[in-house]
Structure formats: C-alpha cells, structure tokens
Amino acid sequence: MPTLEEIARLSSVSRSTVSRVVNESPNVSEETRAKVLAVVQQLDYQPNAVARSLAAGCTRILGLIVPSGVTAMFHDPFFPEFIPAVTSACSAHGYSVMLWLAEPMDEEPMIRQVLRNGFLDGVIVFTIHLSAGIIAEVVASNLPYVLIGQHCAQAPDAAYVDVENRRGARQVVTHLLRKGYRRIAHIAGPTDTVCAQHRIAGYRDALGTWGRRIDEDLVAAGDFTEARGYEAMKELLPRRPEAVFAANDMMALGALRACRDSGVRVPEDMAVVGFDDISLSANSNPPLTTVRQPSDRMGTAATEMLLAILETGDAIPRQIVLPTELVIRQSCGATAGL
Amino acid sequence: MPTLEEIARLSSVSRSTVSRVVNESPNVSEETRAKVLAVVQQLDYQPNAVARSLAAGCTRILGLIVPSGVTAMFHDPFFPEFIPAVTSACSAHGYSVMLWLAEPMDEEPMIRQVLRNGFLDGVIVFTIHLSAGIIAEVVASNLPYVLIGQHCAQAPDAAYVDVENRRGARQVVTHLLRKGYRRIAHIAGPTDTVCAQHRIAGYRDALGTWGRRIDEDLVAAGDFTEARGYEAMKELLPRRPEAVFAANDMMALGALRACRDSGVRVPEDMAVVGFDDISLSANSNPPLTTVRQPSDRMGTAATEMLLAILETGDAIPRQIVLPTELVIRQSCGATAGL
DNA sequence: GACAGGTGTGGGAGCGCTCCCATAACATAT
DNA sequence: ATATGTTATGGGAGCGCTCCCACACCTGTC
C-alpha cells in the first residue's frame, strides 16, 4: 500500500501538496495537481483511513447500536428497511456504519466501551425498549447521538426519530368503529416498550372518543411474535370480540391463523387489523388492514439528523415524528363499504 | 478523554509501562500494576482505538459486505439469523463489525475503496450471486476474506462457507418421490445464483436417480420472491403437477397462496415443499415441508474462519459446507404415512 | 570477581496522515 | 522604490498509541 510520502516522492512535491490534491484543496496549481493525480492513479493510492482519522480527530464512522431487548426484533421486517436506509444515507455522505448488536449479558459495559473507544463519530441507538441504563450511558458518553423511539421521561432533550404510534393506532381503531364494530379487542405489545404504550394509548383514545368504555377483558398481553398473537387470539375468542387490533402485524397474522384454526371467518365473523405493514401482510389470507410505518424514512431521517448534528454542532430540528399511514385491506371487511 | 501519557504522568511511570499494564503484559511488577490501574479506573481511561490501530497495524474490525444483488435478499430471514451470529462471534473475540450494503450503481468502486482504505482487517462477502467483478476485487485487495457461497469457477482456492444446497434439494425431492408423487414441478431461483443452480441440480439428481425424465414444462423460473412464487404456481397449475418444489420458502408460500386462490387443496391435491425453513413456514397453512439452513452457524463459521486466517495466517480448513436438514410438515402430506 | 541470564522500566522512533506556519514567487497598490 | 496582498509550496509538530532497544538492577554460576 503506497503512502502519502511515497506519492510525494514520486511526483517530486511535498507531502502537504499531495494531501491538498487528495483532499481537493483549491490552492494547488493545475499543473501540480495533474502531476500528482497521475502518480496517484498509477499506484492506485488510497489514503489510509485510520491515519486520517487519528490526525483529523474524526473517523467518519457512525455506530448503529441495537440493545439486546431489541435484538429479538431483528427478525422484524423493520430492520431490513431501516438498516439499508441508514447505510445508504451514510454512504452518500462518505460515512461508514458499524453495527453493534448487544449481547444480553454484558450489554452496558460493552456499549460503554464502544461509545468511548474513539471509533465512532456518533451513534444511532434503538431505544424502543425502555432501557434507561443505555440511554444514560449514551448521554454520558458525550458522543453525538440520535435515538430511535422517544423517551421524554428519561432524556427530554434527546434527539430522536419516532413515528406517530398513537395517532396511527387511533386511526385504525377509529376505522373499525366507523365500520360499526363494537366489541374491539386489543392484543398489546410488551408493556416495557414505548411504542406498545403509544399504540394501546391510541386504542384507548379511539374508544374514548367514541364514548365506548374500555373492557379490560378484551385486552390481551402480547410480545410482538406471531406465536403469541395466535395464543392471545385463542384467549380472546371466547370473549366474543367483533374485531381485534393487534399491536403489530406479526401478532395480527398469528390472530388470523387462530381464527382460521377455530373456524372463525375473517372478515365476516371477525375483523383483524395490525400495525407495521410488513410485506407479508399484503398477501396474507385475507390481506391485512394495517398501519404503515415509514421504516426507511426513519433510517434516512435519523442518519441525516445525526450527520447534521456532527457538522453543524446542533441547530436543526432534533425531534422528528414521522406520520403513519392507514392501509385498508380485506381483513376488516374493506369491501363491505364504509 | 485521558490519554496514555496522562495516565503515565499521574501514576509517575512511563508511557510504556502504562501500555504494558493496559495490555496485560506479564513484565510489570504487582506494585506498579496496581498503582497504574488505580489511576486508569479513576479517570475511566479507555485506550483510543484509532491510535492503537494505526500503531499496531490492525483495526480489529471486520467488514460484512453485501453486494446489491443480494441486498434485496436482506428481507430474507437469512440475515436476521446470520448477522447476529457474526456480530456475536466478533464481540467474543474483541472485534467489531462494519456493515456494507452496496448500492447498485457504484458497487465496485465503492467496494474497492472499502477494501483498501485500511479500516478492515478482513471481510466476509456475500457472493450468493455470481458477481465475478466483486470476487476479483476481493481477491486483488490482499485482504483476508471469507465468501458466503462457493464459487469454484472463479476462485477455486477461496475460503468459503456454504450449505449443502444440492443435497438438501435432493433430499426433499426424494421425500416427495418416496411418498409416491410423480409429476414433480420446480419453481427455480434466479439462474445467476450458485445456490439456485445447486438446488435445481439436486432436483434433477433426485428425479434422475428414480429414473424419471425431467419435464422442462414443469420447471418455472423464479426470483426468490413470494409474488413470483404465486405467479409461477399459477403458470404451473394448468400443467397438472402433483407436487412442487420451490427453490426457497418465500416462493413456496407464494405457491401455497396460489393454490388456495385456485381452490387447489394442499396437501390433498398438491404437495408443496420449499427450502430455507424461514420462521413463517412453521405457521403457514398448511405448515410447510422444507429444508433447514443453519444460517446462524454459517455466520459463526464464517467469522471464526476469518479470525483464524487473521491469527494463524492460514492453515485451518478454508472450505466449510454445512449440512441442511429436512423438516417434514403437513404441506407434503406428512400425515399420509411414510 | 567476571560473566551470563533474567526482570522491570524508560525513551525514541514511527504508524500515515492533517493542520498550521513559514517561505518563496509573483502581482498589485502606494 | 517599498509596502501589502495573494497564491503555491514545503516542513515541522502532533494525533495516541505500539514496538524495539537500552539500561539499570538483581539474582545465580563457575
């Protein structure tokens, strides 16, 4: 691997001049630039990123930290959309991405080390679970950061990107109410996640607005998995709901399967709606009414927010809540007319 | 952030001695070690990884490169299992992971740059598609590497990890033959992927072994997507197959949906089998017979192979082909005996 | 008493860059 | 003629480490 110094020698200029050429500084004569570039191309010279990072004091590497509580969610179709959006936005700005999936056991020390070893210029942290320790660690590290999922309680000033979970849930449940469904059940997400809290809040909002009292028997606990959605639906069926809103699509798909297994027809006997609009939902049987999250836009927004913080030192909006979109399909009797 | 020098000053020893303590060199007196460690803890000193990398000549960072052809596959449930296995194995050895999802347009120059900028000690490269240019780039970079997916033609000596695609396909098709199915169709994967080639080869092996001639009308082209599986099945149905082997589960699920839509009962009228054993297959309707790939073991194996190459400079087995496992469920009439 | 062979410690050089300051060369204004 | 810029270039210092060599100092051996 050739070094700056070598290029300098071979093109008989100084190290500094080569550096200027490579970094596209304007103060280089055309003649010199051409001479140096010729050697650079001939030797296929690439500046050493490590040396550059040390000298410049920044690495142009962003960390993507996924705490263990969220790692399970790695199966979620959220990541396949989110992560490429992040890497793509980074590439566009000449940044690289380092991926950290925390191990359950040594979560905090590990994250602590990653935050302080100097390899990262900034981090995007999944804080969908209420992982107080990690948020504190991140804040204490003095590293620029953006959270995915808001945490007003623990970090009111934190930069974050989130989606309108509450409003989305309200919308989809309101849609059910408008269609005349009365006993609307809910399969909730894990109670220690902010997004599940917001979604159940939206469910309650909608029922409240329509003057319906909330029947706690119609709220089943869930954990965002298909299997649990299945079980929860089996538990709910004897209580004769007319419709069910699952806190995510995976559980809604589980609910659909439970209905099928129990001979309950969807949407004739039961409406089922979810949240996320994962790709399978469009092709489920029947296709699932759900709420679309702009996963990729979240990735792009978080990355660009972080890069802006890095470059401007702050300024810009530090809280972004992206809108969701109601996607109406057959599982709530879409064909039956509003 | 404190530096080595500062720790040295505060504990009144030399820079070298602090370095020895931090790196757990044996040649330090107990007394000195304790003195230094006290200061280290008090100041919460963390060695700067960038400086260390520059001085030591290695970064302890591995790259995970996913070419654009494969990025689409990022939706595949393969990644959610593979990637955590890689990061986990890396963490266990004190390595970090940098993720590179190539953009379609500037694929090769980008990869070229990543390979040569000095940030990576080694790379794991998805070469499931026959991306000759990328493989050449990787080989030319002189960086230790492990491929995911073998490429005997282009890189006979390359270190790789793969699964027994051919044998797995043969097994599942043989299972259908044993159960008495005769007209067995195939929904193939993209012809430019080695794994799809191996799977169709396994399909032909099985038919050949049983003395069946291959009816090319019963082989439909596919692209590993659910939607295409649906369409391919619709095309195949008029040709009256008794069973269909899809080159992956996503397409098999599409095929199931096509059968459902066409009033074809599975498994009574049609057997459907897939490949991959994605999590949805266990809960599909009916549950899908398929071939399980050890995605996580591939990640672990690739990482450990790469780390071994880094540490020993070579030696060890450089070709690993992991076994697949036949998973029999109802979609091929498992209940019908044998 | 001279020499070998450990131990523990310090300091210099160097990894390959960036950044700042000095310097030259020339143009323009006074 | 001198002062004042402007532009192109070179060289030194330094980023925070590691690694090697030198130098004590302490055994133990013949």
Side-chain angles (χ1 to χ4, degrees):
Chain A
M1 288 283 128
T3 70
L4 249 202
E5 206 90 32
E6 269 169 69
I7 305 296
R9 201 156 33 75
L10 289 171
S11 44
S12 37
V13 294
S14 74
R15 193 167 21 93
S16 305
T17 301
V18 178
S19 174
R20 282 185 200 101
V21 171
V22 169
N23 294 303
E24 291 170 348
S25 152
N27 294 334
V28 183
S29 71
E30 259 328 302
E31 191 188 0
T32 313
R33 183 190 310 282
K35 189 169 59 177
V36 172
L37 279 179
V39 180
V40 164
Q41 304 228 325
Q42 194 198 321
L43 268 71
D44 192 23
Y45 168 73
Q46 272 265 350
N48 180 300
V50 178
R52 184 178 266 193
S53 299
L54 181 60
C58 69
T59 57
R60 299 185 80 85
I61 298 178
L62 302 186
L64 192 54
I65 299 186
V66 184
S68 58
V70 190
T71 308
M73 234 189 76
F74 209 70
H75 278 88
D76 225 277
F78 179 75
F79 284 94
E81 303 195 351
F82 182 87
I83 292 182
V86 170
T87 64
S88 175
C90 280
S91 288
H93 291 84
Y95 276 75
S96 308
V97 179
M98 229 147 103
L99 185 61
W100 288 98
L101 306 185
E103 309 281 325
M105 48 269 186
D106 60 324
E107 175 130 311
E108 292 188 22
M110 188 268 244
I111 288 181
R112 182 183 186 72
Q113 188 183 330
V114 168
L115 292 172
R116 313 184 150 237
N117 74 1
F119 250 133
L120 304 180
D121 279 356
V123 284
I124 296 173
V125 187
F126 274 81
T127 53
I128 294 178
H129 277 73
L130 291 165
S131 37
I134 291 173
I135 296 179
E137 236 12 293
V138 172
V139 173
S141 74
N142 273 322
L143 215 59
Y145 64 93
V146 171
L147 307 182
I148 303 300
Q150 54 185 298
H151 293 273
C152 301
Q154 292 155 75
D157 307 329
Y160 68 79
V161 172
D162 206 341
V163 293
E164 290 179 333
N165 282 302
R166 187 165 184 166
R167 183 162 164 274
R170 194 165 53 221
Q171 267 187 317
V172 71
V173 175
T174 301
H175 180 73
L176 292 173
L177 288 162
R178 284 222 183 93
K179 298 202 75 138
Y181 292 103
R182 307 191 140 255
R183 291 179 57 78
I184 300 177
H186 179 49
I187 304 177
T191 52
D192 62 344
T193 67
V194 175
C195 72
Q197 289 174 3
H198 285 183
R199 288 175 192 180
I200 197 171
Y203 163 76
R204 296 204 155 107
D205 286 353
L207 294 185
T209 304
W210 280 59
R212 301 289 163 75
R213 81 174 179 77
I214 284 124
D215 182 349
E216 292 300 336
D217 268 7
L218 289 181
V219 175
D223 62 0
F224 283 157
T225 66
E226 202 266 359
R228 179 61 205 150
Y230 181 90
E231 287 165 29
M233 191 70 214
K234 287 277 192 181
E235 291 165 18
L236 288 170
L237 281 175
R239 299 173 201 158
R240 297 282 155 212
E242 299 170 3
V244 61
F245 162 49
N248 75 338
D249 280 3
M250 289 304 272
M251 294 198 295
L253 294 175
L256 282 181
R257 186 163 59 92
C259 290
R260 205 157 45 226
D261 282 7
S262 308
V264 174
R265 292 169 308 162
V266 178
E268 295 82 352
D269 308 330
M270 173 80 63
V272 176
V273 300
F275 201 117
D276 285 348
D277 193 28
I278 68 179
S279 56
L280 289 165
S281 303
N283 297 328
S284 60
N285 180 26
L288 193 65
T289 288
T290 184
V291 179
R292 178 175 301 150
Q293 289 201 73
S295 314
D296 52 344
R297 282 180 57 206
M298 288 180 79
T300 310
T303 308
E304 282 177 352
M305 188 189 289
L306 184 52
L307 291 174
I309 294 174
L310 288 177
E311 271 152 37
T312 68
D314 241 350
I316 58 126
R318 290 164 54 85
Q319 269 100 29
I320 294 182
V321 179
L322 294 171
T324 54
E325 184 192 344
L326 184 59
V327 179
I328 299 173
R329 300 205 186 92
Q330 281 84 57
S331 71
C332 66
T335 50
L338 180 61
Chain B
M1 289 282 126
T3 70
L4 249 202
E5 206 89 32
E6 269 168 68
I7 305 296
R9 202 156 30 76
L10 290 171
S11 46
S12 40
V13 295
S14 74
R15 193 167 22 93
S16 305
T17 302
V18 178
S19 174
R20 282 186 202 100
V21 171
V22 169
N23 293 303
E24 292 171 347
S25 151
N27 293 334
V28 183
S29 72
E30 260 328 302
E31 191 188 359
T32 313
R33 183 191 308 281
K35 189 169 59 176
V36 172
L37 280 180
V39 180
V40 164
Q41 303 229 325
Q42 195 199 321
L43 269 71
D44 191 23
Y45 169 73
Q46 273 264 350
N48 180 300
V50 178
R52 183 178 266 193
S53 300
L54 180 61
C58 69
T59 57
R60 300 185 79 86
I61 299 178
L62 301 187
L64 191 55
I65 298 186
V66 184
S68 57
V70 190
T71 308
M73 236 188 76
F74 208 70
H75 278 88
D76 226 275
F78 179 76
F79 284 93
E81 304 196 351
F82 182 86
I83 292 182
V86 171
T87 64
S88 176
C90 280
S91 287
H93 291 84
Y95 277 75
S96 308
V97 180
M98 230 146 106
L99 185 62
W100 287 97
L101 306 184
E103 309 281 326
M105 49 269 187
D106 60 323
E107 177 130 312
E108 292 188 23
M110 188 269 244
I111 287 180
R112 183 182 186 73
Q113 188 183 328
V114 168
L115 291 171
R116 313 185 149 235
N117 74 2
F119 250 132
L120 304 179
D121 280 356
V123 284
I124 296 174
V125 187
F126 273 80
T127 53
I128 295 178
H129 277 74
L130 291 164
S131 37
I134 290 174
I135 297 178
E137 217 47 91
V138 170
V139 173
S141 75
N142 273 323
L143 214 58
Y145 65 92
V146 171
L147 308 182
I148 303 299
Q150 55 185 297
H151 293 274
C152 301
Q154 292 155 74
D157 307 329
Y160 68 78
V161 172
D162 207 342
V163 294
E164 290 179 332
N165 282 303
R166 187 166 184 165
R167 184 163 162 273
R170 195 165 53 220
Q171 267 186 318
V172 71
V173 175
T174 300
H175 179 74
L176 292 173
L177 289 162
R178 283 221 185 95
K179 298 204 73 137
Y181 293 102
R182 305 189 145 257
R183 290 178 59 76
I184 300 179
H186 179 49
I187 303 178
T191 51
D192 61 345
T193 67
V194 176
C195 73
Q197 289 175 1
H198 286 183
R199 289 175 192 180
I200 198 170
Y203 162 77
R204 297 204 153 106
D205 285 353
L207 295 185
T209 304
W210 279 59
R212 301 287 162 77
R213 82 174 176 77
I214 283 123
D215 183 348
E216 292 300 336
D217 268 5
L218 288 180
V219 175
D223 62 1
F224 283 157
T225 65
E226 203 266 0
R228 180 59 206 149
Y230 181 90
E231 288 165 28
M233 192 69 214
K234 287 277 193 181
E235 291 165 17
L236 288 170
L237 281 174
R239 298 175 201 156
R240 298 282 154 211
E242 297 170 4
V244 60
F245 161 50
N248 74 339
D249 280 3
M250 288 305 272
M251 293 198 296
L253 294 176
L256 282 181
R257 185 162 61 91
C259 290
R260 205 159 44 226
D261 282 6
S262 308
V264 174
R265 292 169 308 163
V266 177
E268 294 83 352
D269 308 331
M270 172 81 64
V272 176
V273 300
F275 202 116
D276 284 349
D277 194 27
I278 68 179
S279 55
L280 289 166
S281 304
N283 297 328
S284 60
N285 180 24
L288 193 66
T289 289
T290 184
V291 180
R292 178 175 300 150
Q293 290 201 70
S295 314
D296 52 345
R297 283 181 57 205
M298 288 180 80
T300 309
T303 309
E304 283 178 351
M305 187 188 287
L306 184 52
L307 291 174
I309 293 174
L310 288 177
E311 270 152 37
T312 67
D314 242 351
I316 58 125
R318 292 165 51 87
Q319 271 100 28
I320 295 183
V321 179
L322 295 170
T324 55
E325 183 192 345
L326 184 59
V327 178
I328 299 173
R329 299 204 186 93
Q330 281 84 56
S331 72
C332 66
T335 50
L338 185 68

